[in-house]
C-alpha cells in the first residue's frame, strides 16, 4: 500500500473511531512510556476497564539496555502474570547522539530497547496465555511514517542493516531527518518477524499500531525555534489529541478478540487492520525483515544472555 501526504491530511481530519472497551477483570497490563502523552492516556482507558494490575513503566532513555533489564527484573519480582504489554517508548531526534551502548539514540530507544523488553517479557506473556486459556497481546507503537521511510539501497541490501544505519556514513543531518521514519519501519518489521517466529499454538498476538500525528511529548528532543514553530502549527492544524491517538493502542490490545488470527502480525490504523507499506510486503522488504531480526537477536543476546534461552524455547 502507498500512502501520500494528501492521504495523511485526510486521515488527520477524519473522525477517530471511539475507544474500544472490554472487561479486564483479573488481568495485568503493562504500558511502557506511560508517563505522558498517548501512553498515559491509554493507561487511563485501561484503568476504567477494571484490571487487577495496571503498571505504568517509564524507562530512562539515557541509560540504554541497562534500564530495560531493570524494568524486566522488577516486573518478574512483582507480577506473576502479564496479559497485555504495550510498548510505547519512542523519541524523535534530528541530531546524532550515541548511547552508552554505542548506538544512535533513536535507533536504540525506538527499536533495540523496544525489542529487548518485548523479548524479555515474552515468556510471561506466553505463560499467562497458557495458564488462563486466552491469548495475550503485545502491542508495538509504530507510525504511518513508515510508509515514507526511504531506506538507502546499501542498508536494504546489507546483512547488518542496523550497524549500517548507525555507521558514520549515516550520521549527517539529512540522514538523521530520515531516522524516525526508519525506526518506525523497523517497529513494523519487528512485530511481523516476531509473530512469524511464534508457533501457531503459542497464545500470543503481536501487532503494531499507528496513533497518527498527536499532541504529545514525542517531539521533546527537537531543537531549533523554527522547527518547533513548524511542528506546533502542524499539531494545531492536523494533530489529534493524545487521548484520540491512544485509542489505537487500546485497539491493538483488546480489539477483534473474536478474530484473533486477523490481528496476528497486523498493522493497525484507525481501529482497523491496514495494509503496511509496499516495501514491507515486498520480497525486498521480507529479506530486510529477516536480516533485521537476525541482527537484532545477535545484538541483544550479547547485551542480555538470557535471551538465548528465551529464543530457543519460545520461537522457531
Amino acid at each position: 500500500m502507498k500512502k501520500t501526504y494528501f492521504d495523511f491530511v485526510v486521515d488527520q481530519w477524519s473522525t477517530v473511531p471511539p475507544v474500544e472497551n472490554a472487561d479486564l477483570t483479573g488481568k495485568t497490563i503493562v504500558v511502557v512510556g506511560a508517563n505522558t502523552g498517548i501512553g498515559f492516556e491509554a493507561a487511563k482507558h485501561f484503568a476504567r476497564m477494571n484490571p487487577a494490575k495496571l503498571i505504568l513503566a517509564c524507562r530512562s532513555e539515557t541509560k540504554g539496555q541497562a534500564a530495560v533489564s531493570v524494568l524486566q527484573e522488577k516486573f518478574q519480582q512483582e507480577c506473576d502474570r502479564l496479559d497485555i504489554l504495550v510498548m510505547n517508548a519512542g523519541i524523535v531526534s534530528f541530531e546524532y547522539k550515541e548511547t552508552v551502548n554505542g548506538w544512535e539514540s533513536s535507533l536504540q530507544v525506538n527499536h533495540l530497547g523496544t525489542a529487548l523488553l518485548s523479548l524479555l517479557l515474552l515468556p510471561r506473556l506466553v505463560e499467562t496465555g497458557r495458564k488462563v486459556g486466552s491469548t495475550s497481546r503485545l502491542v508495538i507503537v509504530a507510525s504511518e511514517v513508515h510508509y515514507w521511510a526511504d531506506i538507502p539501497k546499501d542498508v536494504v541490501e546489507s546483512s547488518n542493516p542496523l550497524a549500517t544505519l548507525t555507521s558514520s556514513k549515516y550520521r549527517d543531518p539529512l540522514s538523521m531527518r530520515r531516522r524516525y521514519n526508519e525506526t518506525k519501519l523497523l517497529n513494523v518489521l519487528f512485530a511481523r518477524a516476531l509473530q512469524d517466529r511464534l508457533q501457531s499454538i503459542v497464545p500470543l498476538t503481536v501487532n503494531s499500531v499507528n496513533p497518527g500525528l498527536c499532541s504529545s511529548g514525542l517531539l521533546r528532543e527537537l531543537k531549533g525555534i523554527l522547527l518547533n514553530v513548524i511542528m506546533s502549527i502542524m499539531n494545531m492544524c492536523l494533530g489529534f489529541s493524545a487521548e484520540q491517538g491512544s485509542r489505537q493502542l487500546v485497539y491493538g490490545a483488546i480489539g477483534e478478540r473474536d478474530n484473533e488470527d486477523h490481528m496476528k502480525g497486523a498493522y493497525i490504523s484507525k481501529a482497523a487492520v491496514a495494509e503496511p507499506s509496499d516495501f514491507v510486503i515486498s520480497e525486498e522488504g521480507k529479506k530486510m525483515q529477516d536480516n533485521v531480526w537476525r541482527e537484532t537477536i545477535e545484538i541483544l543476546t550479547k547485551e542480555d544472555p538470557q535471551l538465548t534461552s528465551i529464543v530457543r524455547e519460545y520461537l522457531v
Side-chain angles (χ1 to χ4, degrees):
M1 175 179 172
K2 288 182 170 62
K3 188 166 189 174
T4 67
Y5 288 104
F6 177 75
D7 295 329
F8 162 72
V9 171
V10 171
D11 277 354
Q12 290 294 135
W13 280 348
S14 63
T15 302
V16 181
V19 67
E20 194 82 0
N21 280 287
D23 181 6
L24 299 180
T25 300
K27 297 185 182 295
T28 296
I29 297 96
V30 173
V31 182
V32 177
N35 55 316
T36 187
I38 59 174
F40 181 67
E41 294 296 332
K44 287 164 62 177
H45 284 308
F46 288 131
R48 287 190 283 269
M49 301 180 203
N50 196 39
K53 287 185 179 180
L54 174 59
I55 299 171
L56 280 61
C58 311
R59 65 183 172 89
S60 169
E61 295 160 0
T62 61
K63 294 182 180 179
Q65 315 292 29
V68 176
S69 297
V70 169
L71 279 179
Q72 184 253 351
E73 290 171 7
K74 185 175 178 62
F75 176 83
Q76 298 286 20
Q77 293 169 1
E78 297 180 0
C79 298
D80 61 355
R81 68 180 286 174
L82 177 56
D83 300 88
I84 296 169
L85 172 61
V86 179
M87 294 299 305
N88 172 56
I91 60 171
V92 178
S93 177
F94 291 165
E95 293 183 4
Y96 180 85
K97 297 177 184 177
E98 195 167 291
T99 67
V100 294
N101 299 97
W103 294 95
E104 187 274 315
S105 59
S106 55
L107 191 63
Q108 166 103 42
V109 173
N110 298 0
H111 172 62
L112 290 171
T114 293
L116 178 57
L117 189 55
S118 298
L119 291 168
L120 288 175
L121 294 181
L122 185 142
R124 191 56 54 89
L125 284 163
V126 173
E127 290 160 8
T128 298
R130 288 171 174 167
K131 183 178 180 180
V132 304
S134 68
T135 303
S136 302
R137 289 275 179 99
L138 167 57
V139 180
I140 296 175
V141 179
S143 171
E144 64 201 337
V145 301
H146 89 274
Y147 288 105
W148 309 312
D150 185 15
I151 307 292
K153 186 175 178 62
D154 62 332
V155 176
V156 173
E157 295 178 347
S158 174
S159 59
N160 295 295
L162 304 181
T164 306
L165 270 180
T166 206
S167 68
S168 58
K169 183 178 180 179
Y170 294 111
R171 297 179 183 182
D172 61 281
L174 179 59
S175 296
M176 290 308 302
R177 281 182 170 81
R178 298 194 298 250
R179 187 55 47 87
Y180 181 69
N181 296 14
E182 293 165 347
T183 62
K184 294 294 103 178
L185 173 63
L186 293 174
N187 289 154
V188 175
L189 295 178
F190 176 77
R192 290 166 64 91
L194 177 54
Q195 186 70 70
D196 286 348
R197 286 160 177 80
L198 288 167
Q199 298 179 27
S200 59
I201 60 172
V202 172
L204 175 62
T205 292
V206 184
N207 57 54
S208 58
V209 301
N210 166 44
L213 175 66
C214 304
S215 298
S216 68
L218 180 63
L219 304 177
R220 58 192 176 276
E221 295 286 324
L222 294 185
K223 295 181 180 179
I225 295 175
L226 179 59
L227 182 58
N228 276 281
V229 168
I230 292 172
M231 295 308 300
S232 295
I233 292 172
M234 280 190 64
N235 268 316
M236 284 190 294
C237 296
L238 299 173
F240 297 137
S241 68
E243 184 281 320
Q244 289 173 314
S246 74
R247 298 176 194 176
Q248 306 313 308
L249 282 62
V250 175
Y251 191 87
I254 62 175
E256 296 194 43
R257 279 297 186 180
D258 58 345
N259 194 7
E260 199 70 42
D261 286 345
H262 192 226
M263 296 289 281
K264 290 183 178 296
Y267 168 72
I268 310 296
S269 186
K270 301 300 286 289
V273 173
E275 185 176 274
S277 71
D278 287 347
F279 175 78
V280 169
I281 60 178
S282 70
E283 288 303 315
E284 194 175 37
K286 291 174 184 175
K287 182 178 178 181
M288 183 176 173
Q289 177 175 301
D290 288 340
N291 285 333
V292 166
W293 172 266
R294 178 194 48 75
E295 186 184 11
T296 298
I297 297 302
E298 288 177 357
I299 292 166
L300 297 181
T301 49
K302 291 176 183 176
E303 295 291 336
D304 199 322
Q306 66 178 305
L307 276 185
T308 302
S309 60
I310 292 174
V311 171
R312 185 185 301 119
E313 181 176 352
Y314 292 94
L315 304 177
V316 294

